[in-house]
Amino acid sequence: MKKILFILSIISLTVVTNSCESDITSLNEDPKHPTVVPSGLLVASAEQELISQLLTPNVNNNIARFFTQQWAQTTYIDESNYDMVTRPIPRNHYNRMMASSSAVSYSPGVLSALRDAKQSLQNEGLDAVKKGNNEAIIELISVYTWANLVDTYGDVPYFGALKAVAGANNASEIPYDDAKTIYLDLIKRIDAANTMININQSGYTDDIFYKGNMSKWKKMANSLKFRLAVTLADVEPALSKSYAEAAYNAGLFDNKDDNWGLSAFPSGLFANPVYQEAIQSGRNDFVPSDVLVDYMNSTTDPRRDRWFTKIGGVYKGGIYGSNNSFAGYSHMTSPKTDVNGNPEVGSDGSYMLITENAQGFLLDYTEISFLRAEAAARGYNVGGTAATLYANAITASMSEYGISSANTTAFIAANPFNASNWKQAIGFQAWVAMFNKGFQAWNFARRLDYPVFVNPADSAVDDVPVRMKYSDQEYLLNKNNVTAAAQKIGGDKVTTKVFWDVF
């Protein structure tokens, strides 16, 4: 395992260096002399890059926690005011997810690594069952990544991406495809991958999430389909209901042991990226925001006792979009020390939210539980009433962070399901439960329209972002296509809604 992680750290370093210092085409290598890398290591590389990018709070790469106003900044506040130009955040996210949209040879980003893994897999001499399991793993990670790109930007290059010949004229000029068309194709790909899975044999042993356990991958496939299906609810209600019910009947995550990601990051080179940025860096850039903490105070949420330290005997969030003294507000619990040299732990014990080995999940039981509550509220048949599933979802989140059954029961009784405004009830509780899971929280908030966020006074944009603008490099390398795409979706603005966000 240490050897694999060492290889992955070198691959990841290459990605970061390239994304910061050169444009997307500089990742191309000579297609006549490609680097031969086992497909299993490419899959592990893709998983590492994906989880690192989606979990990191590095303001060069991922500011989703500011889109949902759950974190606040201290000294540098450009990103919480939605300045995504000074640091080219849309470019960096797109490049790390896509890596090289035109290259045919090895490049270590998520989608291009998966493309190369699929190519390498064909020549590895595996039996049909093993090969099918491995290909299903590649497909499911790819679908998850493509869905994130659509959820982030809207229309993107899809059907023609990752197929052009490196070095050819106009190799980077790839048409953009309709976002809803992509989504529907992704669901078809999930179904096809699901049929490849044979739970009686393992998949990749290099798989860092499930270690090749195909029973878990099958649940992941169904749960991913369920997420995409519910996301379609307001734009394709009939299809959404059909897909969601089919996924539920096929078997979703049963408990937190099914979560897709890492229950604990391995020590050493591959630490939790939140820990790397917030603790290991030695910086004091982030505090929980007043938007989140004030709401949790209003509901007497017991998760505060695990997530945050107190300041002056109370939980106090930093003012969102403003400068905040790090010493003047609550902190997220971690090994950081207070003025007396004591670790900043939760008030109910020694719990620390942010540690080197802290969990990190990209799709989990808590999220699926809230999606089930939402689906039931929309009239889908997913195994319970909306009120029951709402309570179950809150319980799943409380359990995730070690909150007692008594405190959970009391919280649900004080914050019951509101059938007359279920979007508000589920929206607020899902937003809290998705704390520190930026992209997941953003999807819930956009689809359910709760909470309603206020644009900071010094914001660099017209309103709180519901979409990320296209990469600036696309206007250099793929100008005609990105310009046409921007016009089609209603303008390349952060206020232009993605196709499924219709209200």
Side-chain angles (χ1 to χ4, degrees), residues 74-361:
T74 55
T75 306
Y76 304 102
I77 60 172
D78 287 345
E79 292 73 34
S80 54
N81 283 285
Y82 308 124
D83 176 355
M84 290 177 266
V85 176
T86 301
R87 304 175 189 271
I89 299 163
R91 178 206 305 176
N92 292 340
H93 182 67
Y94 185 79
N95 284 4
R96 292 188 73 171
M97 301 294 274
M98 182 79 79
S100 176
S101 60
S102 61
V104 295
S105 56
Y106 172 68
S107 51
V110 179
L111 286 170
S112 56
L114 293 169
R115 173 208 57 202
D116 298 334
K118 191 171 182 178
Q119 291 174 347
S120 295
L121 177 63
Q122 309 312 312
N123 301 313
E124 291 178 344
L126 301 177
D127 65 73
V129 173
K130 182 78 169 182
K131 181 181 178 184
N133 281 345
N134 289 350
E135 189 165 346
I137 290 173
I138 293 171
E139 273 291 276
L140 292 170
I141 303 170
S142 297
V143 168
Y144 183 100
T145 307
W146 280 117
N148 175 270
L149 286 171
V150 173
D151 293 343
T152 302
Y153 301 101
D155 292 7
V156 292
Y158 174 70
F159 291 105
L162 304 168
K163 294 179 181 178
V165 177
N169 290 336
N170 303 321
S172 62
E173 295 182 13
I174 302 169
Y176 279 59
D177 295 296
D178 177 72
K180 185 167 76 169
T181 302
I182 297 171
Y183 239 65
L184 297 177
D185 189 67
L186 293 176
I187 291 174
K188 290 180 181 177
R189 288 174 65 176
I190 293 173
D191 288 342
N194 218 335
T195 63
M196 297 180 196
I197 294 175
N198 185 321
I199 63 173
N200 296 315
Q201 193 170 140
S202 66
Y204 285 114
T205 57
D206 296 323
D207 163 26
I208 64 175
F209 292 166
Y210 286 150
K211 306 297 187 293
N213 184 325
M214 300 312 297
S215 293
K216 291 187 179 295
W217 275 107
K218 200 164 190 68
K219 288 184 182 180
M220 183 272 185
N222 298 329
S223 298
L224 179 58
K225 180 178 178 177
F226 191 77
R227 179 205 268 187
L228 268 59
V230 175
T231 303
L232 289 170
D234 290 328
V235 69
E236 287 285 352
L239 280 178
S240 172
K241 184 175 187 294
S242 174
Y243 288 147
E245 290 177 354
Y248 166 74
N249 290 327
L252 306 176
F253 290 160
D254 293 325
N255 54 63
K256 63 184 180 180
D257 291 337
D258 294 329
N259 291 353
W260 190 59
L262 291 172
S263 58
F265 275 71
S267 299
L269 294 171
F270 191 23
N272 186 296
V274 183
Y275 173 81
Q276 291 180 42
E277 296 296 331
I279 310 300
Q280 196 172 41
S281 68
R283 301 178 62 87
N284 297 319
D285 290 333
F286 307 115
V287 292
S289 77
D290 59 341
V291 180
L292 177 68
V293 174
D294 288 354
Y295 177 75
M296 295 181 74
N297 284 340
S298 74
T299 61
T300 318
D301 196 311
R303 285 167 290 196
R304 295 171 302 165
D305 300 337
R306 309 284 276 176
W307 292 354
F308 310 130
T309 63
K310 289 182 177 179
I311 184 78
V314 299
Y315 296 107
K316 184 178 181 182
I319 300 171
Y320 186 81
S322 299
N323 290 106
N324 294 286
S325 165
F326 186 75
Y329 296 93
S330 294
H331 303 160
M332 287 166 275
T333 55
S334 75
K336 274 185 181 290
T337 54
D338 60 21
V339 292
N340 298 314
N342 300 312
E344 296 188 328
V345 299
S347 62
D348 68 348
S350 59
Y351 184 82
M352 301 180 189
L353 177 69
I354 303 174
T355 65
E356 178 181 3
N357 307 117
Q359 67 181 27
F361 299 115

